[in-house]
Amino acid sequence: MSSIGSAPGKPEVARADTPGQLTGAVVIVALVSAVSGMLYGYDTGIISGALLQITKDFGIAESWKQVIAASILLGAVVGALTCSSLSERRGRKGTLVMLAVVFVVGALWCALSPNPVVLSLGRLVLGFAVGGATQTAPMYVAELAPPKYRGRLVLCFQIAIGVGIVIATIVGASEAIPWRWSIGVAAVPAAIMLALLLRLPESPRWLVKQDRRDDATEVLSRVRPSGYDVEDELDEMAQLAREEKTAATRGWSGLREKWVRPAVILGCGIAVFTQLSGIEMIIYYSPTILTDNGFSTSVALDVSVALGVSYLVAQLVGLTIIDRVGRRRLTLIMIPGAALSLFVLGWLFVSGHSGRDSVPFIIACLVVFMLFNAGGLQLMGWLTGSETYPLAVRPAGTAAQSAVLWGTNLLITLTLLTLISGIGVGSSMWLYGLFNVAAWLFVYFRMPDLTGRSLEEIEGKLSDGTFRPSDFAR
């Protein structure tokens, strides 16, 4: 972003040196938006433990388990794609309000389902809200946050996913709460989110695009430090909005433009590898995998809690250090640890060391994987989409990235149990370990370090053709 000073012809005003100071208003926006991330983590994670109860209640086989687990992901693909145009027409806030309503309806639908068909349809509806939120919430926060804190504020969404997963695993491990109650209770935070969203401002960048500069001025004055002159920031937004309206590079067709392509490759590539790294395999199916290999149900559910807590702890640590260490460096440091843990885990199963005596080693490998994966690559999944794409194609770009992420997740969820039945647990772990190696190579060659860069500066790098990792070295 250009340096901020008094606009030509305007008197100096007392204000912060930069727009980088964090205000309570921006924090509140990030926290309320993060509730949708918590719902994502809870609604996807609760199926891990609930599936054991659902299997008994409905008497379903392996194929139905995969369909019930995956239906929310199909809905997420549809939600991610649909909410791209919705966020452009209704605004970022308006879209999130609509999604909060869908979260409530979807949770209650699932809780009241009389059979696996209706349950799968309910999770499809719930998935629409999950996918739409992952497309809209990070973009909403990124467009309100100062560059200095954008990474950490957007990652509040990611941290909230971890909180949702932990809560879901604890609820599942209790075994005392019927699955209908454990799924339906998600309607409560969704209703709270809806009530709070009605009091939040719209994205100033979206308001400027709608020729509502006065409204954008009011919003920026609310979310920037007292005394800060918002005019320079608004001028920069307005200039980009004018360029967007006259540019050939717009919307979905703009994603095919040569100068935008590096952002699309980075965003969609990261989306694919966050899923191929094995995180969803562990979250969704770890109790099923462990019980199928001789673990008791109580032990398997306790392990899922430990994994959920490990996920959250790693995310919190990553949140505190990411802007100091840098997105690229942190990811490159963490991926090898995740890969190694999967290779060791695969060896334990392939070599026959998966019995009672090896339980501590299996659990250790799972926890180590979760720490390295959640504290590195997973942090990048939603952050890259919120800050990489140019303004004119940002809704389409984030929608495409979310759809790719959820589509990959859907493919994994629909095939994992079948894959394990075909090649075994150990070989499956090795395959996902190799995916982590591929992820490291992708990050090394394709991912610049965007830490501390304004959205406008990142767009400038793309338009200049200087979006390689070496071009962002400080």
Side-chain angles (χ1 to χ4, degrees):
M1 191 174 290
S2 60
S3 60
I4 305 298
S6 294
K10 292 185 179 181
E12 289 284 345
V13 293
R15 58 171 176 77
D17 291 332
T18 73
Q21 290 190 13
L22 194 59
T23 62
V26 173
V27 173
I28 292 171
V29 166
L31 292 177
V32 174
S33 300
V35 175
S36 64
M38 187 198 70
L39 290 168
Y40 156 26
Y42 185 86
D43 288 332
T44 55
I46 194 64
I47 200 63
S48 177
L51 204 55
L52 299 177
Q53 293 185 33
I54 292 169
T55 300
K56 294 178 181 178
D57 283 1
F58 291 154
I60 55 176
E62 184 177 278
S63 58
W64 263 114
K65 292 181 189 179
Q66 293 183 146
V67 169
I68 291 172
S71 55
I72 195 171
L73 307 177
L74 178 59
V77 173
V78 177
L81 293 173
T82 303
C83 288
S84 167
S85 58
L86 282 176
S87 66
E88 281 295 273
R89 293 199 306 268
R90 296 173 53 93
R92 296 11 171 180
K93 171 191 168 181
T95 301
L96 286 173
V97 168
M98 180 271 294
L99 291 171
V101 174
V102 179
F103 268 121
V104 174
V105 172
L108 296 177
W109 182 332
C110 292
L112 299 173
S113 297
N115 56 57
V117 175
V118 177
L119 177 58
S120 297
L121 291 175
R123 283 178 61 78
L124 192 70
V125 171
L126 200 55
F128 180 91
V130 169
T134 57
Q135 189 273 334
T136 309
M139 178 170 59
Y140 175 54
V141 176
E143 292 184 351
L144 277 157
K148 181 179 178 181
Y149 294 96
R150 187 182 63 242
R152 275 173 276 182
L153 290 175
V154 171
L155 286 176
C156 284
F157 178 86
Q158 185 78 39
I159 297 300
I161 296 173
V163 173
I165 291 172
V166 169
I167 295 173
T169 56
I170 291 174
V171 170
S174 70
E175 298 186 80
I177 302 176
W179 67 266
R180 295 183 186 278
W181 283 97
S182 64
I183 291 177
V185 74
V188 175
I192 295 173
M193 172 186 166
L194 173 61
L196 294 175
L197 273 170
L198 296 175
R199 301 178 61 86
L200 295 185
E202 183 54 83
S203 160
R205 284 179 170 84
W206 183 82
L207 291 171
V208 167
K209 287 174 65 176
Q210 305 302 309
D211 296 322
R212 294 168 57 184
R213 180 164 179 138
D214 289 344
D215 291 336
T217 302
E218 182 181 350
V219 169
L220 273 185
S221 298
R222 287 173 58 188
V223 301
R224 293 293 182 260
S226 177
Y228 167 66
D229 185 359
V230 302
E231 289 304 315
D232 284 355
E233 192 171 353
L234 284 167
D235 287 341
E236 195 165 22
M237 292 179 190
Q239 180 181 349
L240 283 176
R242 286 192 297 270
E243 291 174 357
E244 177 190 348
K245 288 182 179 180
T246 59
T249 305
R250 299 181 63 184
W252 286 93
S253 61
L255 297 180
R256 296 194 296 267
E257 294 291 330
K258 183 178 180 180
W259 71 277
V260 180
R261 198 174 303 153
V264 177
I265 292 173
L266 174 61
C268 292
I270 289 292
V272 168
F273 283 117
T274 56
Q275 304 308 296
L276 289 181
S277 64
I279 187 74
E280 305 301 351
M281 166 184 67
I282 301 300
I283 290 175
Y284 293 162
Y285 289 131
S286 58
T288 300
I289 293 171
L290 293 174
T291 53
D292 287 349
N293 284 272
F295 284 64
S296 67
T297 299
S298 59
V299 170
L301 291 173
D302 288 343
V303 170
S304 70
V305 173
L307 294 177
V309 172
S310 299
Y311 182 101
L312 179 58
V313 169
Q315 295 262 293
L316 288 171
V317 173
L319 177 68
T320 60
I321 66 175
I322 188 169
D323 285 327
R324 293 197 297 272
V325 177
R327 291 131 164 81
R328 171 182 160 85
R329 183 190 301 175
L330 180 63
T331 309
L332 290 174
I333 290 172
M334 300 297 278
I335 290 176
L340 182 60
S341 63
L342 288 179
F343 286 133
V344 174
L345 186 60
W347 176 82
L348 288 173
F349 280 95
V350 169
S351 63
H353 293 82
S354 57
R356 185 178 300 274
D357 293 341
S358 299
V359 167
F361 300 104
I362 292 173
I363 295 174
C365 286
L366 288 170
V367 170
V368 168
F369 165 80
M370 189 63 78
L371 291 172
F372 278 95
N373 186 268
L377 187 58
Q378 294 306 315
L379 292 172
M380 302 301 110
W382 306 118
L383 184 56
T384 53
S386 69
E387 66 184 12
T388 302
Y389 300 103
L391 180 63
V393 299
R394 190 170 299 147
T398 54
Q401 180 169 335
S402 294
V404 168
L405 186 148
W406 288 114
T408 307
N409 194 340
L410 174 63
L411 178 64
I412 292 169
T413 306
L414 280 173
T415 60
L416 182 65
L417 295 180
T418 303
L419 175 70
I420 290 174
S421 297
I423 66 175
V425 175
S427 298
S428 298
M429 296 299 171
W430 283 348
L431 177 62
Y432 279 91
L434 291 174
F435 287 149
N436 277 269
V437 173
W440 190 93
L441 293 172
F442 178 84
V443 170
Y444 183 81
F445 288 108
R446 301 295 312 200
M447 181 179 171
D449 193 346
L450 306 180
T451 307
R453 307 282 184 170
S454 73
L455 300 180
E456 290 75 22
E457 185 180 359
I458 294 169
E459 182 167 341
K461 288 283 190 179
L462 281 166
S463 63
D464 293 341
T466 55
F467 196 73
R468 297 174 295 272
S470 58
D471 296 322
F472 282 77
R474 295 183 184 272

Coordinates of all heavy atoms in Angstrom, one line a residue, residues 148-194:
K148 N -0.4 -5.1 8.3 CA 0.5 -5.6 9.3 C -0.1 -6.8 10.1 O 0.6 -7.7 10.5 CB 0.9 -4.5 10.3 CG 1.8 -4.9 11.4 CD 2.2 -3.7 12.3 CE 3.1 -4.2 13.4 NZ 3.4 -3.0 14.3
Y149 N -1.4 -6.7 10.3 CA -2.1 -7.7 11.1 C -3.0 -8.6 10.2 O -3.7 -9.5 10.8 CB -3.0 -7.1 12.1 CG -2.1 -6.3 13.2 CD1 -1.9 -5.0 13.1 CD2 -1.6 -7.0 14.2 CE1 -1.2 -4.3 14.0 CE2 -0.8 -6.4 15.2 CZ -0.6 -5.0 15.1 OH 0.1 -4.3 16.0
R150 N -3.0 -8.5 8.9 CA -3.9 -9.2 8.1 C -3.8 -10.7 8.2 O -4.7 -11.5 8.3 CB -3.8 -8.8 6.6 CG -4.9 -9.4 5.7 CD -4.6 -9.0 4.2 NE -3.4 -9.5 3.7 CZ -2.4 -8.8 3.3 NH1 -2.5 -7.5 3.3 NH2 -1.2 -9.3 2.9
G151 N -2.5 -11.2 8.2 CA -2.3 -12.6 8.3 C -2.8 -13.2 9.6 O -3.5 -14.2 9.5
R152 N -2.6 -12.5 10.7 CA -3.0 -13.1 12.0 C -4.6 -13.0 12.1 O -5.2 -13.9 12.6 CB -2.4 -12.3 13.1 CG -1.0 -12.9 13.5 CD -0.3 -12.1 14.5 NE 0.4 -11.0 13.9 CZ 1.1 -10.1 14.6 NH1 1.3 -10.2 15.9 NH2 1.8 -9.1 13.9
L153 N -5.2 -11.9 11.6 CA -6.6 -11.8 11.7 C -7.3 -12.8 10.8 O -8.3 -13.4 11.2 CB -7.0 -10.4 11.3 CG -6.6 -9.3 12.4 CD1 -7.0 -7.9 11.9 CD2 -7.3 -9.6 13.7
V154 N -6.9 -13.0 9.6 CA -7.5 -14.0 8.7 C -7.3 -15.4 9.3 O -8.2 -16.2 9.2 CB -6.8 -13.9 7.3 CG1 -7.3 -15.1 6.4 CG2 -7.2 -12.6 6.6
L155 N -6.2 -15.6 9.9 CA -5.9 -16.9 10.5 C -6.8 -17.1 11.8 O -6.8 -18.3 12.3 CB -4.4 -17.1 10.8 CG -3.6 -17.3 9.6 CD1 -2.1 -17.4 9.9 CD2 -4.0 -18.6 8.9
C156 N -7.4 -16.1 12.3 CA -8.4 -16.4 13.4 C -9.5 -17.4 12.9 O -10.0 -18.2 13.6 CB -9.1 -15.1 13.8 SG -8.0 -14.0 14.8
F157 N -9.8 -17.3 11.6 CA -10.7 -18.2 11.0 C -10.2 -19.6 11.0 O -10.9 -20.6 11.4 CB -11.0 -17.8 9.5 CG -11.9 -18.7 8.7 CD1 -13.3 -18.5 8.8 CD2 -11.4 -19.7 7.9 CE1 -14.1 -19.3 8.1 CE2 -12.3 -20.5 7.2 CZ -13.6 -20.3 7.3
Q158 N -8.9 -19.8 10.7 CA -8.3 -21.1 10.7 C -8.2 -21.6 12.2 O -8.4 -22.8 12.4 CB -6.9 -21.0 10.1 CG -6.1 -22.3 10.0 CD -6.6 -23.1 8.8 OE1 -6.9 -22.5 7.7 NE2 -6.7 -24.4 8.9
I159 N -7.8 -20.7 13.1 CA -7.8 -21.1 14.5 C -9.2 -21.6 15.0 O -9.3 -22.6 15.7 CB -7.3 -20.0 15.4 CG1 -5.9 -19.6 15.0 CG2 -7.4 -20.4 16.9 CD1 -4.9 -20.7 15.2
A160 N -10.2 -20.9 14.6 CA -11.5 -21.3 15.0 C -11.9 -22.6 14.4 O -12.7 -23.4 15.1 CB -12.5 -20.2 14.5
I161 N -11.4 -23.0 13.3 CA -11.6 -24.4 12.8 C -11.1 -25.4 13.8 O -11.7 -26.4 14.1 CB -11.0 -24.6 11.4 CG1 -11.6 -23.6 10.3 CG2 -11.1 -26.0 10.9 CD1 -10.9 -23.7 9.0
G162 N -9.9 -25.1 14.3 CA -9.3 -26.0 15.3 C -10.1 -26.0 16.5 O -10.3 -27.1 17.1
V163 N -10.7 -24.9 17.0 CA -11.5 -24.9 18.2 C -12.7 -25.8 17.9 O -13.1 -26.6 18.8 CB -12.0 -23.5 18.5 CG1 -13.0 -23.5 19.6 CG2 -10.8 -22.6 18.9
G164 N -13.3 -25.6 16.7 CA -14.5 -26.5 16.4 C -14.2 -27.9 16.4 O -15.0 -28.8 16.9
I165 N -13.0 -28.3 15.9 CA -12.6 -29.7 15.8 C -12.4 -30.2 17.2 O -12.8 -31.4 17.5 CB -11.3 -29.9 15.0 CG1 -11.6 -29.6 13.5 CG2 -10.7 -31.2 15.2 CD1 -10.4 -29.5 12.6
V166 N -11.8 -29.5 18.1 CA -11.5 -29.9 19.5 C -12.9 -30.2 20.2 O -13.1 -31.2 20.9 CB -10.7 -28.9 20.2 CG1 -10.7 -29.2 21.7 CG2 -9.3 -28.9 19.7
I167 N -13.8 -29.2 20.1 CA -15.1 -29.4 20.7 C -15.8 -30.6 20.2 O -16.4 -31.4 20.9 CB -16.0 -28.1 20.5 CG1 -15.3 -26.9 21.2 CG2 -17.4 -28.3 21.0 CD1 -16.0 -25.6 20.8
A168 N -15.7 -30.8 18.8 CA -16.4 -32.0 18.2 C -15.8 -33.3 18.7 O -16.5 -34.2 19.0 CB -16.2 -31.9 16.7
T169 N -14.5 -33.3 18.9 CA -13.8 -34.6 19.3 C -14.1 -34.9 20.8 O -14.3 -36.0 21.2 CB -12.3 -34.5 19.1 OG1 -11.8 -33.4 19.8 CG2 -12.0 -34.5 17.6
I170 N -14.2 -33.8 21.6 CA -14.6 -34.0 23.0 C -16.0 -34.5 23.1 O -16.3 -35.4 23.9 CB -14.4 -32.7 23.8 CG1 -12.9 -32.3 23.9 CG2 -15.0 -32.8 25.2 CD1 -12.6 -31.0 24.5
V171 N -16.9 -33.9 22.4 CA -18.3 -34.3 22.4 C -18.4 -35.8 21.9 O -19.1 -36.6 22.5 CB -19.1 -33.4 21.5 CG1 -20.5 -34.0 21.3 CG2 -19.2 -32.0 22.1
G172 N -17.7 -36.1 20.9 CA -17.7 -37.5 20.4 C -17.1 -38.5 21.3 O -17.6 -39.6 21.5
A173 N -16.1 -38.1 22.0 CA -15.4 -39.0 22.9 C -16.2 -39.3 24.2 O -16.0 -40.3 24.8 CB -14.0 -38.5 23.3
S174 N -17.1 -38.4 24.5 CA -17.9 -38.6 25.7 C -18.8 -39.8 25.6 O -19.1 -40.5 26.6 CB -18.8 -37.4 26.0 OG -19.8 -37.3 25.0
E175 N -19.2 -40.1 24.4 CA -20.1 -41.3 24.1 C -21.4 -41.2 24.8 O -22.3 -42.1 24.7 CB -19.4 -42.6 24.4 CG -18.2 -42.9 23.6 CD -17.6 -44.3 23.9 OE1 -18.1 -45.2 23.3 OE2 -16.7 -44.4 24.7
A176 N -21.6 -40.2 25.6 CA -22.9 -40.1 26.4 C -23.9 -39.2 25.7 O -25.1 -39.2 26.0 CB -22.6 -39.5 27.8
I177 N -23.5 -38.4 24.7 CA -24.4 -37.5 24.0 C -24.8 -38.1 22.7 O -24.0 -38.5 21.9 CB -23.6 -36.1 23.7 CG1 -23.1 -35.5 25.0 CG2 -24.6 -35.2 23.0 CD1 -22.3 -34.2 24.8
P178 N -26.2 -38.3 22.6 CA -26.7 -38.9 21.3 C -26.2 -38.1 20.1 O -26.1 -36.8 20.2 CB -28.2 -38.8 21.5 CG -28.4 -38.8 23.0 CD -27.2 -38.0 23.5
W179 N -26.0 -38.7 19.0 CA -25.5 -38.0 17.8 C -26.4 -36.9 17.3 O -25.9 -35.9 16.8 CB -25.2 -39.0 16.7 CG -26.4 -39.7 16.1 CD1 -26.9 -40.9 16.4 CD2 -27.1 -39.2 15.0 NE1 -27.9 -41.2 15.6 CE2 -28.1 -40.2 14.7 CE3 -27.1 -38.1 14.2 CZ2 -29.1 -40.1 13.7 CZ3 -28.0 -37.9 13.2 CH2 -29.0 -38.9 12.9
R180 N -27.7 -37.1 17.5 CA -28.6 -36.1 17.0 C -28.4 -34.8 17.8 O -28.5 -33.7 17.2 CB -30.1 -36.5 17.2 CG -30.4 -37.7 16.3 CD -31.9 -38.1 16.4 NE -32.2 -39.3 15.7 CZ -32.4 -39.4 14.4 NH1 -32.4 -38.3 13.7 NH2 -32.7 -40.5 13.8
W181 N -28.2 -34.9 19.1 CA -28.0 -33.7 19.9 C -26.6 -33.1 19.6 O -26.5 -31.8 19.5 CB -28.0 -34.0 21.4 CG -29.4 -34.2 21.9 CD1 -30.1 -35.3 22.1 CD2 -30.3 -33.1 22.3 NE1 -31.4 -35.1 22.5 CE2 -31.5 -33.7 22.7 CE3 -30.2 -31.7 22.4 CZ2 -32.6 -33.0 23.1 CZ3 -31.3 -31.0 22.8 CH2 -32.5 -31.6 23.2
S182 N -25.6 -33.9 19.4 CA -24.3 -33.4 19.1 C -24.2 -32.7 17.8 O -23.4 -31.7 17.7 CB -23.2 -34.5 19.1 OG -23.5 -35.5 18.1
I183 N -25.0 -33.1 16.8 CA -25.0 -32.4 15.5 C -25.9 -31.2 15.6 O -25.6 -30.1 15.1 CB -25.5 -33.3 14.4 CG1 -24.4 -34.4 14.2 CG2 -25.8 -32.6 13.1 CD1 -24.8 -35.5 13.1
G184 N -27.1 -31.3 16.2 CA -28.0 -30.2 16.3 C -27.6 -29.0 17.1 O -28.0 -27.9 16.8
V185 N -26.8 -29.2 18.1 CA -26.4 -28.1 19.0 C -25.6 -27.0 18.2 O -25.5 -25.9 18.7 CB -25.5 -28.6 20.2 CG1 -24.1 -29.0 19.7 CG2 -25.5 -27.6 21.3
A186 N -25.1 -27.3 17.0 CA -24.3 -26.3 16.2 C -25.2 -25.2 15.8 O -24.7 -24.1 15.4 CB -23.7 -27.0 15.0
A187 N -26.6 -25.4 15.9 CA -27.5 -24.3 15.5 C -27.4 -23.1 16.5 O -27.7 -22.0 16.1 CB -28.9 -24.8 15.5
V188 N -26.9 -23.3 17.7 CA -26.8 -22.3 18.7 C -25.8 -21.2 18.3 O -26.1 -20.0 18.2 CB -26.6 -22.9 20.1 CG1 -26.4 -21.7 21.1 CG2 -27.8 -23.7 20.5
P189 N -24.5 -21.6 18.1 CA -23.5 -20.6 17.8 C -23.8 -20.0 16.4 O -23.5 -18.8 16.2 CB -22.2 -21.4 17.7 CG -22.5 -22.8 17.6 CD -23.8 -23.0 18.3
A190 N -24.5 -20.7 15.5 CA -24.8 -20.2 14.2 C -25.8 -19.0 14.4 O -25.8 -18.0 13.7 CB -25.4 -21.2 13.3
A191 N -26.8 -19.2 15.3 CA -27.8 -18.2 15.6 C -27.1 -16.9 16.3 O -27.4 -15.8 16.0 CB -28.9 -18.7 16.5
I192 N -26.1 -17.2 17.1 CA -25.4 -16.1 17.7 C -24.6 -15.3 16.7 O -24.5 -14.1 16.7 CB -24.4 -16.6 18.9 CG1 -25.3 -17.2 20.0 CG2 -23.5 -15.5 19.4 CD1 -24.4 -17.9 21.0
M193 N -24.0 -16.1 15.8 CA -23.2 -15.4 14.7 C -24.1 -14.5 13.9 O -23.8 -13.4 13.5 CB -22.6 -16.5 13.8 CG -22.0 -16.0 12.5 SD -21.4 -17.4 11.5 CE -21.2 -16.6 9.9
L194 N -25.3 -15.0 13.6 CA -26.3 -14.2 12.8 C -26.6 -12.9 13.5 O -26.6 -11.8 12.9 CB -27.6 -15.1 12.6 CG -28.7 -14.4 11.9 CD1 -28.4 -13.9 10.5 CD2 -30.0 -15.3 11.9

